[in-house]
Amino acid sequence: MSTPTRSDRRRQATVAISAVIAIVGSFVGSGVLFGTPIAEAAGGALAADATLVAPGTGAFQIWGLIYLGLVAYAVWQFLPAQATAERHRRLGYPIAWSLVLNAAWILSIQFDQLWLSVPVIAALLVALVISFRITATTKSASVVDAVVTDGTVGLYLGWVSVATAANVTALLVAEGFEGFGISPDLWAVVIVAVAGLVGLAVATLGRGRIAPALSLGWGLAWIAQARLSGSPESTPTAVAAIVAVVVIVGATVVVRLRSARGAASTTRA
């Protein structure tokens, strides 16, 4: 085991500080501290009944698990075995950026800057795609590393993918976008379909990683729930979301099985 360099220590400290910033931001965004709950901020543009692709309120419970994973990662990457590991050297700053951008997104909503929240969440999504790519192309050192690192990044990416679609839609609706004469139901189905395609891409890139499929499926399932039992109602959107969940989960299972068979064949060879 090599000795950590100053660069390693700076990276570890940056991740830890960014995690603290993100956690403080989460308390502000939930209204626990001095902030306003996200669903009520920005004129309610991100509430469960604001648009046809807004997930139901219960969907946001996943943030508790994601934040738990991010705190676990901030601690995990400080341990000696991870300090000089190449995958953590590559992962540190992208994850740190995602944490800071997460807090920045919450602040943009708190200050009613819905227009600013879109480029911020887009940048957050890019940081997570980079992080996911790194986890997908580097081998985890242990089961714990796979759960804490790969699992957290996967859950984070899947959920933010759904959140990005909801955020962009919320901005368009708030700005009075009328859909070029196309019905809101059809637009919602198209957006959900795009989310499904993202799920297929992630399944392929990640060779069947379970975590992103779970969080993507979770978000889409709550969109279906909100459109079937809440307002505004939209059966087409709900059906599209359910189909997308089935497709994402099914594709993930197929890709994972094929990857496992390929790895077994290589080992035997």
Side-chain angles (χ1 to χ4, degrees):
M1 187 184 301
S2 58
T3 302
T5 64
R6 285 186 179 181
S7 178
D8 290 325
R9 295 308 186 196
R10 282 195 297 269
R11 183 194 73 251
Q12 291 173 312
T14 299
V15 172
I17 293 170
S18 299
V20 172
I21 292 173
I23 295 300
V24 172
S26 73
F27 280 106
V28 173
S30 65
V32 172
L33 295 180
F34 48 83
T36 302
I38 294 298
E40 300 173 15
L46 296 170
D49 59 356
T51 71
L52 290 179
V53 294
T57 304
F60 299 96
Q61 294 174 359
I62 196 173
W63 271 119
L65 183 59
I66 292 172
Y67 280 124
L68 178 62
L70 289 169
V71 170
Y73 178 77
V75 174
W76 177 250
Q77 55 100 38
F78 254 118
L79 300 182
Q82 282 64 247
T84 59
E86 183 60 26
R87 75 174 341 217
H88 294 292
R89 282 175 168 169
R90 293 173 59 189
L91 268 173
Y93 286 111
I95 288 182
W97 270 114
S98 78
L99 290 164
V100 173
L101 287 166
N102 192 344
W105 181 85
I106 291 173
L107 285 177
S108 69
I109 299 299
Q110 290 295 314
F111 286 100
D112 295 332
Q113 301 300 312
L114 188 61
W115 64 271
L116 180 59
S117 70
V118 170
V120 172
I121 201 170
L124 168 57
L125 185 60
V126 170
L128 290 174
V129 168
I130 293 171
S131 299
F132 185 73
R133 178 64 179 169
I134 293 171
T135 62
T137 55
T138 57
K139 188 176 181 180
S140 57
S142 63
V143 173
V144 175
D145 190 33
V147 172
V148 172
T149 304
D150 303 65
T152 298
V153 171
L155 285 176
Y156 200 2
L157 173 62
W159 172 251
V160 170
S161 297
V162 175
T164 300
N167 198 165
V168 172
T169 304
L171 176 62
L172 291 174
V173 170
E175 292 298 321
F177 177 65
E178 297 181 356
F180 304 118
I182 299 173
S183 72
D185 282 332
L186 182 55
W187 273 114
V189 168
V190 170
I191 292 169
V192 168
V194 170
L197 291 175
V198 169
L200 293 178
V202 170
T204 302
L205 175 64
R207 298 189 299 277
R209 298 289 176 93
I210 295 173
L214 290 177
S215 54
L216 259 167
W218 171 268
L220 289 167
W222 276 98
I223 290 176
Q225 182 273 340
R227 301 293 71 81
L228 289 174
S229 62
S231 177
E233 293 185 5
S234 174
T235 300
T237 304
V239 171
I242 293 169
V243 170
V245 172
V246 173
V247 169
I248 290 170
V249 173
T252 300
V253 171
V254 170
V255 172
R256 189 173 185 85
L257 290 174
R258 286 180 177 175
S259 296
R261 287 177 190 145
S265 297
T266 302
T267 302
R268 285 196 297 270

